[in-house]
Structures are given as C-alpha cells and as structure tokens.
Amino acid sequence: MQPPLRTKRKINWRENSFAYALLIPSLLFLGLFTFYPILKSIYWSFYSSDFTDKTFVGLDQYVHVFQDDIFLKVLRNNVLLAIGTVPVSILLAMYVAVWVNNKLRGTGLLRALFFYPTVIPMIAIANIWLFIYTPSYGLLDKFLSVFGIPTQHWLGDPNWVLFSMMLMVIWKETGFFMIFYLAGLQNLPKEVYEAAEMEGARPFQTFRKLTFPLLMPTTLFVMVIATTNSFKLVDHLYIMTKGGPNNASNLLLYHIYETAFSFWDMGKASVLTVVLLVILLSISIFNYAFLDKRIHY
C-alpha cells in the first residue's frame, strides 16, 4: 500500500529542507563575496566617485571608458594574450598528457615535473622569470648569446614584452591542463583502441580519429578555464612590468586594480569590472551554449 500524497510531500519537504540547510553556509559565502560585490559594482558604475564625492552620471562612465585609448589598448593586449596562450597551452597539454600516459619508465617523475609549475605561486614564478628575462646576464640572453643572437630588453621593449608574458603563462598553464587530459585519457574505453590496433591503425591515425574526438568534452572544459584565466592575470604584472612600458603589457584586471587603488576612481573601476564580468560570462555562455551542442559525449 502506497503512502498518501500528503505524506509523500511532507517527507520530500523534510529531505529538501535538510539539503538546503547544508547549502546555507556555501550560499552565504557566495552571496557575500560574489553576488553582493557584483551588484555593488554595477551600482557604482553609474556614479562618478572617488570615495569622497559621488555623483550620478548614468551611462556617461561607460561612454568615457569605451572612448579611452588606454582601455582599448589594455583590452587589445588581453585579447592577444588569450589568442596567443590558450590554443598553445591546450595543444601542449594534450600532447604532454598523451606522452606521459604511456607506461614508460619514469612516467611518474615526468608528470610531477610538468605539473610542478602549477603549484608554485604566481609571485614566485614572476621573480623566476624576471631573472630569466634580465638583459645581458639573464638565462635567456646567456643562452641566445651562444648562437650569436644580440641581447634584448625583453620586458622593456614594447614589441617583446607581451610575447614574453605569453611564454611565461604557457609554461605555467600547460602542466595544469595536462592533469585534466590525463584524467580524460584514463577514462577512455580501451576496447576501441584494441580494435584500432587490430585494424592496423597508425599512432597518428589513432590520435586523430579516436583520441582527439573522445577528448572533446575535456577540451571544452579546459578551453573555458584557460580563456577565463587569461582575463584574470594580475600577480605577475605587479612584480615584472607594472603594465609597462607604455601599457604594452597592461591587462584588464591590473588596469582595474590601478584605476581603483592607485587613481581612486571607483566609478571607472566599477565600469571596467562590469566589462570584465560581461566578457567572462560571454565566454562561458558561448562555450557551453554553442560549442557544447557540437560535442559528442
């Protein structure tokens, strides 16, 4: 005999209320440190404020920001950084994951070496690469001098500084993304590879026809993480370049920091924050709403 509908609802209400009670601490922190700052930033973006005077200006702040040459240059730098680092990091991570996934001697050590840059704080990495890029006696110039290549001011030349930042980001991010691909590779069905081997498929054919398509869900996830990470870089700039020379290495998050805490223009900083939030939200929506439908799970 089934319990009456009223009894079922009472039981479901008790179970659901207990589940929501367990979520309250997380929801509280999410509300205080995520949703409230977002709403506050949107509110402040309609005001011209320097902490002492607040004047409602409507959308004038947005118009001013999008006409600002520095903002446009910073946004261009960030887009170029994303284009230059995301595909390279993903491809390198996939290649390294396939390589260290094989049962070879020393595979555990190789995995640890490739993952090691991920666990180093960004401040420490910035100091390491600051020494590598030091003109004349830095490791990079010492290495290039063996081939007769002249010394470059890697962090002081506007033509080279963003490329130098890209190289450092790729070095750090590749090992992190490798872990996701390793997890994806170890969950792939072995029967498919055994069938391909029996059919005489070559390693590259196996990768192109089997491994790469089956790893597309992992690639989508990694792409979202990599793209959003490229718009959230700030630590290394404070140590290495301060956004210079002439904003050639400045990125959006560091520009927000400077605007808010160096120039004390909270209204403009709030507008920049809203722009960053829209960019990150658009990236996630595009990947999960558009690309996700074209991936076979």
Side-chain angles (χ1 to χ4, degrees), residues 27-52:
L27 292 174
L28 186 63
F29 277 95
L30 192 65
L32 285 175
F33 299 107
T34 301
F35 295 124
Y36 175 73
I38 289 174
L39 295 175
K40 195 70 174 178
S41 296
I42 295 173
Y43 170 78
W44 277 88
S45 68
F46 297 106
Y47 289 84
S48 176
S49 173
D50 59 358
F51 278 123
T52 58

Short mmCIF file of all heavy atoms in Angstrom, two decimals, residues 27-52:
data_model
loop_
_atom_site.label_atom_id
_atom_site.label_comp_id
_atom_site.label_asym_id
_atom_site.label_seq_id
_atom_site.Cartn_x
_atom_site.Cartn_y
_atom_site.Cartn_z
N LEU A 27 26.01 29.08 0.36
CA LEU A 27 25.21 30.15 -0.25
C LEU A 27 25.49 31.49 0.41
O LEU A 27 25.50 32.53 -0.26
CB LEU A 27 23.72 29.80 -0.16
CG LEU A 27 23.25 28.61 -1.00
CD1 LEU A 27 21.79 28.30 -0.70
CD2 LEU A 27 23.44 28.87 -2.48
N LEU A 28 25.73 31.47 1.72
CA LEU A 28 26.03 32.70 2.44
C LEU A 28 27.34 33.31 1.95
O LEU A 28 27.41 34.51 1.66
CB LEU A 28 26.11 32.40 3.94
CG LEU A 28 26.28 33.60 4.87
CD1 LEU A 28 25.07 34.53 4.76
CD2 LEU A 28 26.46 33.14 6.30
N PHE A 29 28.38 32.49 1.85
CA PHE A 29 29.67 32.99 1.35
C PHE A 29 29.56 33.42 -0.11
O PHE A 29 30.17 34.42 -0.52
CB PHE A 29 30.74 31.91 1.51
CG PHE A 29 31.34 31.85 2.88
CD1 PHE A 29 30.84 30.97 3.84
CD2 PHE A 29 32.37 32.69 3.24
CE1 PHE A 29 31.38 30.91 5.11
CE2 PHE A 29 32.93 32.65 4.52
CZ PHE A 29 32.42 31.76 5.45
N LEU A 30 28.80 32.67 -0.91
CA LEU A 30 28.61 33.02 -2.31
C LEU A 30 27.92 34.37 -2.44
O LEU A 30 28.28 35.20 -3.28
CB LEU A 30 27.81 31.93 -3.02
CG LEU A 30 27.75 31.98 -4.55
CD1 LEU A 30 29.13 31.76 -5.15
CD2 LEU A 30 26.77 30.93 -5.07
N GLY A 31 26.91 34.57 -1.61
CA GLY A 31 26.18 35.84 -1.66
C GLY A 31 27.03 37.01 -1.21
O GLY A 31 27.03 38.08 -1.84
N LEU A 32 27.81 36.81 -0.11
CA LEU A 32 28.59 37.91 0.45
C LEU A 32 29.79 38.28 -0.40
O LEU A 32 30.12 39.47 -0.55
CB LEU A 32 29.06 37.54 1.87
CG LEU A 32 28.01 37.59 2.98
CD1 LEU A 32 28.61 37.09 4.29
CD2 LEU A 32 27.48 39.01 3.17
N PHE A 33 30.44 37.28 -0.96
CA PHE A 33 31.72 37.53 -1.65
C PHE A 33 31.64 37.41 -3.17
O PHE A 33 32.66 37.62 -3.84
CB PHE A 33 32.79 36.57 -1.11
CG PHE A 33 33.05 36.75 0.36
CD1 PHE A 33 32.60 35.80 1.26
CD2 PHE A 33 33.72 37.86 0.82
CE1 PHE A 33 32.84 35.96 2.62
CE2 PHE A 33 33.96 38.02 2.19
CZ PHE A 33 33.51 37.08 3.09
N THR A 34 30.48 37.09 -3.72
CA THR A 34 30.33 37.02 -5.17
C THR A 34 29.18 37.90 -5.66
O THR A 34 29.40 38.88 -6.38
CB THR A 34 30.10 35.57 -5.63
OG1 THR A 34 31.20 34.76 -5.22
CG2 THR A 34 29.99 35.50 -7.15
N PHE A 35 27.97 37.57 -5.24
CA PHE A 35 26.80 38.29 -5.77
C PHE A 35 26.72 39.73 -5.27
O PHE A 35 26.43 40.65 -6.03
CB PHE A 35 25.52 37.54 -5.43
CG PHE A 35 25.42 36.20 -6.10
CD1 PHE A 35 25.23 35.04 -5.37
CD2 PHE A 35 25.55 36.09 -7.48
CE1 PHE A 35 25.16 33.81 -5.99
CE2 PHE A 35 25.46 34.86 -8.12
CZ PHE A 35 25.28 33.72 -7.37
N TYR A 36 27.00 39.94 -3.99
CA TYR A 36 26.95 41.31 -3.46
C TYR A 36 28.00 42.22 -4.11
O TYR A 36 27.67 43.34 -4.53
CB TYR A 36 27.13 41.30 -1.94
CG TYR A 36 27.20 42.68 -1.34
CD1 TYR A 36 26.06 43.47 -1.24
CD2 TYR A 36 28.42 43.20 -0.89
CE1 TYR A 36 26.13 44.75 -0.71
CE2 TYR A 36 28.49 44.48 -0.36
CZ TYR A 36 27.34 45.24 -0.27
OH TYR A 36 27.42 46.51 0.26
N PRO A 37 29.27 41.80 -4.24
CA PRO A 37 30.23 42.66 -4.94
C PRO A 37 29.85 42.93 -6.40
O PRO A 37 30.08 44.03 -6.91
CB PRO A 37 31.54 41.87 -4.86
CG PRO A 37 31.39 41.00 -3.66
CD PRO A 37 29.94 40.63 -3.63
N ILE A 38 29.26 41.92 -7.07
CA ILE A 38 28.84 42.14 -8.46
C ILE A 38 27.76 43.21 -8.53
O ILE A 38 27.84 44.15 -9.34
CB ILE A 38 28.34 40.82 -9.08
CG1 ILE A 38 29.50 39.86 -9.32
CG2 ILE A 38 27.60 41.08 -10.40
CD1 ILE A 38 29.08 38.49 -9.79
N LEU A 39 26.74 43.09 -7.68
CA LEU A 39 25.65 44.07 -7.67
C LEU A 39 26.16 45.45 -7.26
O LEU A 39 25.73 46.47 -7.81
CB LEU A 39 24.54 43.60 -6.73
CG LEU A 39 23.81 42.32 -7.16
CD1 LEU A 39 22.81 41.89 -6.08
CD2 LEU A 39 23.08 42.52 -8.49
N LYS A 40 27.09 45.48 -6.30
CA LYS A 40 27.65 46.75 -5.85
C LYS A 40 28.46 47.41 -6.97
O LYS A 40 28.40 48.64 -7.15
CB LYS A 40 28.53 46.51 -4.63
CG LYS A 40 28.87 47.79 -3.86
CD LYS A 40 27.67 48.34 -3.15
CE LYS A 40 28.04 49.52 -2.26
NZ LYS A 40 26.86 50.11 -1.58
N SER A 41 29.20 46.61 -7.74
CA SER A 41 29.98 47.16 -8.85
C SER A 41 29.06 47.73 -9.93
O SER A 41 29.35 48.79 -10.50
CB SER A 41 30.88 46.06 -9.45
OG SER A 41 31.82 45.63 -8.52
N ILE A 42 27.98 47.01 -10.23
CA ILE A 42 27.02 47.52 -11.21
C ILE A 42 26.42 48.84 -10.72
O ILE A 42 26.27 49.80 -11.50
CB ILE A 42 25.91 46.47 -11.47
CG1 ILE A 42 26.52 45.23 -12.13
CG2 ILE A 42 24.81 47.06 -12.36
CD1 ILE A 42 25.54 44.07 -12.27
N TYR A 43 26.09 48.91 -9.43
CA TYR A 43 25.53 50.14 -8.86
C TYR A 43 26.52 51.30 -8.96
O TYR A 43 26.19 52.40 -9.40
CB TYR A 43 25.13 49.88 -7.41
CG TYR A 43 24.77 51.12 -6.64
CD1 TYR A 43 23.53 51.72 -6.80
CD2 TYR A 43 25.68 51.70 -5.73
CE1 TYR A 43 23.19 52.87 -6.09
CE2 TYR A 43 25.35 52.83 -5.02
CZ TYR A 43 24.11 53.42 -5.20
OH TYR A 43 23.78 54.55 -4.51
N TRP A 44 27.79 51.05 -8.56
CA TRP A 44 28.80 52.11 -8.57
C TRP A 44 29.17 52.54 -9.99
O TRP A 44 29.67 53.65 -10.18
CB TRP A 44 30.05 51.65 -7.84
CG TRP A 44 29.96 51.80 -6.35
CD1 TRP A 44 29.47 50.90 -5.46
CD2 TRP A 44 30.38 52.92 -5.58
NE1 TRP A 44 29.56 51.37 -4.18
CE2 TRP A 44 30.11 52.62 -4.22
CE3 TRP A 44 30.96 54.15 -5.90
CZ2 TRP A 44 30.40 53.51 -3.19
CZ3 TRP A 44 31.26 55.02 -4.86
CH2 TRP A 44 30.98 54.71 -3.53
N SER A 45 28.92 51.68 -10.97
CA SER A 45 29.30 52.03 -12.34
C SER A 45 28.48 53.17 -12.91
O SER A 45 28.88 53.78 -13.92
CB SER A 45 29.18 50.80 -13.26
OG SER A 45 27.82 50.43 -13.43
N PHE A 46 27.36 53.49 -12.28
CA PHE A 46 26.52 54.60 -12.74
C PHE A 46 26.84 55.90 -12.00
O PHE A 46 26.14 56.90 -12.17
CB PHE A 46 25.04 54.26 -12.57
CG PHE A 46 24.59 53.10 -13.40
CD1 PHE A 46 24.32 51.88 -12.82
CD2 PHE A 46 24.45 53.23 -14.78
CE1 PHE A 46 23.91 50.80 -13.59
CE2 PHE A 46 24.05 52.16 -15.55
CZ PHE A 46 23.78 50.94 -14.96
N TYR A 47 27.89 55.88 -11.18
CA TYR A 47 28.27 57.05 -10.40
C TYR A 47 29.74 57.40 -10.68
O TYR A 47 30.57 56.53 -10.88
CB TYR A 47 28.09 56.81 -8.91
CG TYR A 47 26.65 56.75 -8.46
CD1 TYR A 47 25.93 55.57 -8.56
CD2 TYR A 47 26.01 57.88 -7.96
CE1 TYR A 47 24.59 55.51 -8.17
CE2 TYR A 47 24.69 57.83 -7.56
CZ TYR A 47 23.98 56.65 -7.67
OH TYR A 47 22.66 56.60 -7.28
N SER A 48 30.01 58.68 -10.66
CA SER A 48 31.38 59.16 -10.71
C SER A 48 31.82 59.39 -9.28
O SER A 48 31.28 60.24 -8.57
CB SER A 48 31.46 60.47 -11.50
OG SER A 48 32.76 60.99 -11.47
N SER A 49 32.79 58.57 -8.82
CA SER A 49 33.11 58.59 -7.40
C SER A 49 34.60 58.43 -7.17
O SER A 49 35.26 57.66 -7.86
CB SER A 49 32.34 57.48 -6.68
OG SER A 49 32.76 57.38 -5.35
N ASP A 50 35.11 59.16 -6.17
CA ASP A 50 36.49 58.99 -5.71
C ASP A 50 36.53 58.77 -4.21
O ASP A 50 37.47 59.14 -3.53
CB ASP A 50 37.34 60.20 -6.10
CG ASP A 50 36.78 61.50 -5.51
OD1 ASP A 50 35.72 61.43 -4.85
OD2 ASP A 50 37.41 62.54 -5.70
N PHE A 51 35.48 58.17 -3.65
CA PHE A 51 35.33 57.88 -2.22
C PHE A 51 34.90 59.10 -1.41
O PHE A 51 34.38 58.97 -0.31
CB PHE A 51 36.61 57.31 -1.60
CG PHE A 51 36.78 55.84 -1.82
CD1 PHE A 51 37.91 55.36 -2.45
CD2 PHE A 51 35.82 54.93 -1.42
CE1 PHE A 51 38.09 54.00 -2.65
CE2 PHE A 51 35.99 53.58 -1.61
CZ PHE A 51 37.12 53.11 -2.24
N THR A 52 35.15 60.31 -1.90
CA THR A 52 34.74 61.50 -1.15
C THR A 52 33.52 62.16 -1.75
O THR A 52 32.76 62.81 -1.05
CB THR A 52 35.90 62.52 -1.12
OG1 THR A 52 36.26 62.86 -2.47
CG2 THR A 52 37.12 61.93 -0.41
#
